[in-house]
Amino acid sequence: MPPARAACIVGSVSSPAAQVDPLEHFRSRRYLGLLVLAAVLGAPIAALAYAFLSLTSSLQRWVFTDLPSALGIDPSALWWPLVPVPLAGLVVGLAIRYLPGKGGESPADGMHTGGVARPAALPGIAIAAIASVGLGAVVGPEAPLIALGGGLSYLAVWLRRRDLPTQEGAVIAVIGSFAAVSTLLGSPLTGAFLLMEAAGLGGVTASLVLVPGLLGAGVGALIFVGLGSLTGHGTFSLAIPDIPGTSAPTAAELVWAVAVGLVAAPCCLAIRWLALRVRALVFPRVVLLTPVAGFAVAALAVLFAWSTGKPASDVLFSGQTALPQLVDDNAAYAVGALLLLIACKGLAYVVSLGSFRGGPTFPAMFIGAAVGIALSHLPGLAAIPGVAIGIGAFTAGMLRLPLTSVLLTSLFLGQDGITLMPLTIIAVVVSYVLTQRLTPAPRPSATADAATTRR
């Protein structure tokens, strides 16, 4: 039996027999085959994901440091971002316009599972993501990694079995997605929560998919650690190695958690609304206007650097690398610099979501942390609790994944994250519930159109 056939057990979960004895699937030889497949696929998918992250990181360093130096230009020259970011827009625009798959899912739609990336779409997804993440757009690598990991996993099995059913292909893709983001979000468990919550899986189906997915993620995490040690590039994991300890939450901080949650929800809705407007403007002339969008992102970074003396990289990129430094050096940022950082990063985030390709997670975390640090200059809120509240509230508002938001914030802050988890939970719940309440219900015609498209 080909290993891909093991995945077909998931398709039978909804059958009467599965409802009578769902554990029968866990005891079957087919499920054992699925676990073996997860272990086999996890290693190469994780290695390719590591290569992707290493490439984008090296590209950032080469374009923004090595290249200007080689050209006799000071790497700290304020105007330099005006060169690579519009170039990224041109590459992304061409990929969206001419390559299959339109460069992947638009981040303006939020974090969701967009189905299995077909083999023909993989080059376009990779090119658009490398240009976006590597050349300065304010998007993260997590969404392209999920798509590429799932697509490569599907491709590996599809090459052996061209008549692979849709249900089987979807499960195979999930294994690859788990492996691809195994350590990027701080822990394999965080990636698992994100994928399961975004897919909306529950009950027996969630358990059947989660176990092989976790196995793939566990193998992937080992590959990330091993390659990080061999190459010296690290594991690209989002975490702060050493931050000062904090005390248990206070009553004033609980009030701040509610307040920030109430503010984060409309802010996140505004960001998404504006991003959708930008996308509607750019998409009809994507090759012409995506470079213009890149110029706007770079101009915002230049404005921030010129006004504050801080690096333009605080505004550019996803914030994955800059976020730990922002938290560690929060005392070095005056309130005015923080407010300008929030404004410039937020607007660059809007333009990038509507024009480029990537994920929405890390910029939301960075903006939330900056908001928390800025509010810590007011009475009743210390910096690290403010960071926890801000990250949780803005991540929940943008991703609309409350469990993932709590776990992501807690793991990012290490031991402090565990101590401050009550604050994080309150901020996440308030932001998530208010976001859902303020989100307009979909029009019946739009819902019907979407259902017809899926069929």
Side-chain angles (χ1 to χ4, degrees):
M1 177 184 66
R5 292 189 61 188
C8 70
I9 60 174
V10 178
S12 63
V13 169
S14 59
S15 66
Q19 295 174 7
V20 172
D21 186 12
L23 293 180
E24 180 181 350
H25 296 293
F26 290 95
R27 306 186 189 103
S28 68
R29 293 182 61 185
R30 286 180 172 180
Y31 196 73
L32 179 61
L34 181 60
L35 295 177
V36 172
L37 181 62
V40 171
L41 289 176
I45 296 300
L48 290 171
Y50 187 91
F52 172 87
L53 293 171
S54 179
L55 175 60
T56 55
S57 177
S58 298
L59 184 60
Q60 291 175 4
R61 183 172 57 255
W62 181 76
V63 169
F64 287 89
T65 302
D66 298 340
L67 179 59
S69 297
L71 296 175
I73 301 170
D74 185 352
S76 62
L78 288 177
W79 58 269
W80 178 252
L82 297 172
V83 176
V85 190
L87 177 61
L90 177 61
V91 174
V92 172
L94 291 171
I96 294 172
R97 176 65 178 85
Y98 294 108
L99 295 180
K102 300 186 183 299
E105 298 287 333
S106 170
D109 293 322
M111 178 59 76
H112 62 90
T113 55
V116 180
R118 300 299 174 179
L122 296 179
I125 294 173
I127 291 171
I130 291 170
S132 297
V133 177
L135 295 179
V138 186
V139 289
E142 72 282 2
L145 275 181
I146 290 171
L148 290 170
L152 289 171
S153 181
Y154 175 88
L155 176 62
V157 178
W158 178 80
L159 289 174
R160 294 187 58 189
R161 186 183 178 193
R162 297 300 178 92
D163 60 342
L164 188 63
T166 301
Q167 186 68 42
E168 294 184 28
V171 178
I172 298 300
V174 166
I175 295 172
S177 296
F178 271 64
V181 295
S182 54
T183 64
L184 181 65
L185 301 177
S187 165
L189 189 60
T190 313
F193 264 83
L194 184 147
L195 289 167
M196 300 298 288
E197 197 172 12
L201 297 178
V204 177
T205 303
S207 299
L208 289 169
V209 176
L210 180 61
V211 174
L214 279 177
L215 179 58
V219 173
L222 292 176
I223 298 299
F224 266 69
V225 171
L227 289 175
S229 177
L230 287 173
T231 64
H233 290 162
T235 62
F236 302 101
S237 175
L238 182 69
I240 303 178
D242 296 301
I243 56 175
T246 188
S247 57
T250 65
E253 289 168 347
L254 292 174
V255 175
W256 273 113
V258 175
V260 174
L262 292 173
V263 171
C267 288
C268 292
L269 285 171
I271 288 173
R272 293 189 66 178
W273 184 86
L274 290 171
L276 291 172
R277 304 284 84 73
V278 169
R279 186 176 70 181
L281 177 65
V282 169
F283 187 75
R285 299 179 179 177
V286 66
V287 177
L288 175 65
L289 293 183
T290 309
V292 176
F295 185 87
V297 170
L300 288 165
V302 170
L303 172 64
F304 171 77
W306 175 77
S307 301
T308 64
K310 300 292 184 181
S313 58
D314 282 358
V315 172
L316 298 175
F317 311 115
S318 68
Q320 179 186 355
T321 302
L323 179 53
Q325 184 176 355
L326 174 68
V327 176
D328 281 337
D329 299 337
N330 65 84
Y333 286 80
V335 175
L338 286 169
L339 294 178
L340 186 60
L341 174 60
I342 294 166
C344 291
K345 187 82 170 184
L347 290 173
Y349 187 30
V350 165
V351 176
S352 298
L353 288 176
S355 307
F356 289 87
R357 292 294 186 259
T361 305
F362 295 116
M365 293 180 65
F366 187 95
I367 293 171
V371 169
I373 293 171
L375 293 175
S376 70
H377 290 269
L378 298 175
L381 184 64
I384 301 303
V387 168
I389 291 169
I391 291 177
F394 276 82
T395 305
M398 288 303 302
L399 302 187
R400 306 189 186 193
L401 305 175
L403 294 178
T404 300
S405 299
V406 172
L407 183 59
L408 187 59
T409 304
S410 300
L411 287 175
F412 171 67
L413 292 174
Q415 185 59 46
D416 284 351
I418 304 301
T419 303
L420 299 172
M421 190 177 289
L423 297 178
T424 303
I425 291 174
I426 292 172
V428 165
V429 169
V430 172
S431 176
Y432 175 74
V433 171
L434 185 57
T435 298
Q436 299 289 39
R437 294 275 298 179
L438 294 178
T439 301
R443 294 174 298 171
S445 59
T447 304
D449 290 343
T452 302
T453 301
R454 285 193 296 269
R455 287 197 296 267

